[in-house]
Amino acid sequence: MLARLGLENGKIFYGKGFGATGSCEGEVVFNTAMTGYQEILTDPSYCGQIVTMTYPLIGNYGINPEDFESRRSHVRGFIVKEACASPNNWRATDTLTNYLKENNIIGLTGIDTRALTRTIRQSGTLRGVITTEDCSDEELVEKAKQAKPLSGQNLVEEVTTPRSYTIDGKGRRVVVLDLGMKQSIAQNLSKAGCEVVVMPASTTADEILVLNPAGVMLTNGPGDPKDAGQPIETAKDLIGKLPLFGICLGHQVLALALGAETYKLKFGHRGANHPVKDLETGKVQITSQNHGYAIDEKTLDGMDLAITHRNLNDGTVEGMTHNRHPLFCVQYHPEAFPGPSDSAHIFERFISMMNS
């Protein structure tokens, strides 16, 4: 089945389709992780995006029912160099191709993913369209130019939980504001002994405070953080009233709530091998990341904040804490699914902050 990827800059990549058929559009990004494609496919932070895997062989250990990070896949499309048709793993219950087909996700294989990655690195993130349908190359490029930009789509509302639910635990109650939560975040809190109450992104501060939680976590999620209007207002109203902890989009939402600004990175940070330095200990952690926006450090001047973590590839802010209020946040994913687990101790820090 022939398939093509057309980019808004006019470039076209020819390959073969796998999974579903038809057409899909989205922001084309790349992830440098060697494993973890199942977690990537079900990470809500990828909503609105076509994901390219830079590692050449994907699907070799199949799909299993235990490694899903959310109730369904959220990627718009999936691009690999080679899709393994015959996985071999004792945990596998399905193939990648079948999973994409069942979830109506169009896959593209057989293209030069290194060339595509180089294009994105040089030009910046691009809108694109994958199609298995019959149309001219010119029409395909025009469709890519007309694709919706990520900013302005309010994707958080698309991926958040429709209603509140509780994961039982014996410890302190933690409210998790679901901006596009990966299940492993709630699992880490539950394993730490917390009663986890997951609430929709539209939840207000008053609705949270009535539950009398020990702390609030703002999770990862998709899109432009400036589109997350209600979560920003909720965070503003909670600062100084409860311990707050943010991960990824939650990190950016807390920065906006404090009055800082965010900006879009040229091609983002996506992978499981990003070095981050803990400025308090001097140690370097290899982290899992998935984001296309960052905090504008210049806008933090004059705020009662301390930068705690820094990305060693480009120097961007990867963590910060408030000097007066119980509030801290990190840009990377300490829940480490897919790995590594260098920063899993961040959850312990949140528990300690609530206990104190």
Side-chain angles (χ1 to χ4, degrees):
M1 180 174 60
L2 297 178
R4 292 167 294 165
L5 167 69
L7 299 175
E8 63 176 301
N9 67 352
K11 287 195 174 184
I12 298 176
F13 292 82
Y14 303 89
K16 295 181 179 180
F18 71 110
T21 59
S23 296
C24 65
E25 67 176 48
E27 183 182 74
V28 184
V29 300
F30 64 87
N31 187 299
T32 58
M34 297 173 67
T35 61
Y37 54 83
Q38 182 172 334
E39 292 91 336
I40 290 167
L41 284 167
T42 53
D43 182 349
S45 296
Y46 283 112
C47 185
Q49 296 178 323
I50 295 172
V51 180
T52 305
M53 300 299 294
T54 61
Y55 188 71
L57 178 61
I58 300 296
N60 52 313
Y61 56 83
I63 297 288
N64 71 79
E66 300 173 6
D67 291 341
F68 295 123
E69 284 295 337
S70 63
R71 58 189 179 274
R72 63 179 179 86
S73 181
H74 298 275
V75 302
R76 295 285 193 260
F78 199 54
I79 302 173
V80 302
K81 170 64 176 175
E82 180 182 350
C84 179
S86 303
N88 185 4
N89 186 277
W90 66 275
R91 299 173 70 223
T93 59
D94 202 356
T95 66
L96 174 60
T97 298
N98 285 340
Y99 176 79
L100 295 184
K101 187 174 183 179
E102 291 171 359
N103 287 270
N104 198 32
I105 300 167
I106 301 171
L108 175 65
T109 184
I111 73 164
D112 187 342
T113 50
R114 293 176 300 175
L116 175 56
T117 300
R118 190 181 303 115
T119 297
I120 297 171
R121 285 179 60 89
Q122 292 173 347
S123 301
T125 302
L126 296 164
R127 290 169 294 172
V129 174
I130 299 176
T131 187
T132 62
E133 298 174 330
D134 186 19
C135 66
S136 68
D137 288 349
E138 292 76 13
E139 290 173 325
L140 183 60
V141 171
E142 186 59 32
K143 288 179 180 179
K145 291 179 179 179
Q146 298 299 321
K148 292 181 180 179
L150 206 65
S151 181
Q153 292 193 51
N154 195 14
L155 296 170
V156 168
E157 289 300 319
E158 186 175 330
V159 300
T160 188
T161 179
R163 61 187 63 84
S164 300
Y165 62 94
T166 300
I167 301 173
D168 291 336
K170 298 180 181 179
R172 292 178 173 240
R173 176 178 295 164
V174 176
V175 166
V176 175
L177 194 62
D178 180 9
L179 310 182
M181 182 187 69
K182 295 170 66 178
Q183 291 298 322
S184 50
I185 291 176
Q187 290 166 4
N188 271 271
L189 290 171
S190 182
K191 288 178 181 178
C194 297
E195 179 191 32
V196 182
V197 181
V198 182
M199 305 190 76
S202 59
T203 304
T204 66
D206 288 341
E207 291 171 325
I208 292 174
L209 290 170
V210 76
L211 297 176
N212 193 30
V216 176
M217 172 182 284
L218 289 82
T219 74
N220 63 293
D224 187 338
K226 293 177 182 177
D227 292 336
Q230 183 56 58
I232 294 171
E233 291 303 314
T234 297
K236 281 182 183 179
D237 294 338
L238 291 175
I239 292 172
K241 298 177 182 178
L242 287 171
L244 300 177
F245 173 38
I247 290 175
C248 198
L249 180 62
H251 163 80
Q252 299 158 6
V253 165
L254 285 174
L256 291 168
L258 288 164
E261 292 293 331
T262 57
Y263 67 97
K264 189 169 187 177
L265 295 165
K266 185 176 181 180
F267 48 80
H269 302 154
R270 297 175 181 89
N273 55 356
H274 290 261
V276 170
K277 185 173 183 178
D278 185 331
L279 302 181
E280 296 177 343
T281 65
K283 294 182 178 180
V284 176
Q285 306 163 9
I286 303 302
T287 67
S288 182
Q289 302 205 9
N290 172 20
H291 60 101
Y293 293 81
I295 293 173
D296 185 348
E297 187 172 349
K298 299 188 298 295
T299 64
L300 299 178
D301 292 344
M303 294 187 182
D304 202 2
L305 295 166
I307 296 173
T308 57
H309 297 78
R310 192 173 295 280
N311 189 297
L312 293 183
N313 286 334
D314 59 11
T316 51
V317 176
E318 289 278 354
M320 62 183 188
T321 186
H322 202 282
N323 294 325
R324 291 183 295 111
H325 301 307
L327 178 157
F328 81 102
C329 49
V330 292
Q331 181 63 79
Y332 51 89
H333 283 258
E335 80 284 351
F337 286 91
S341 57
D342 294 24
S343 52
H345 63 277
I346 292 293
F347 287 94
E348 298 174 7
R349 177 176 174 179
F350 180 46
I351 302 298
S352 297
M353 185 173 70
M354 290 190 295
N355 290 337
S356 63

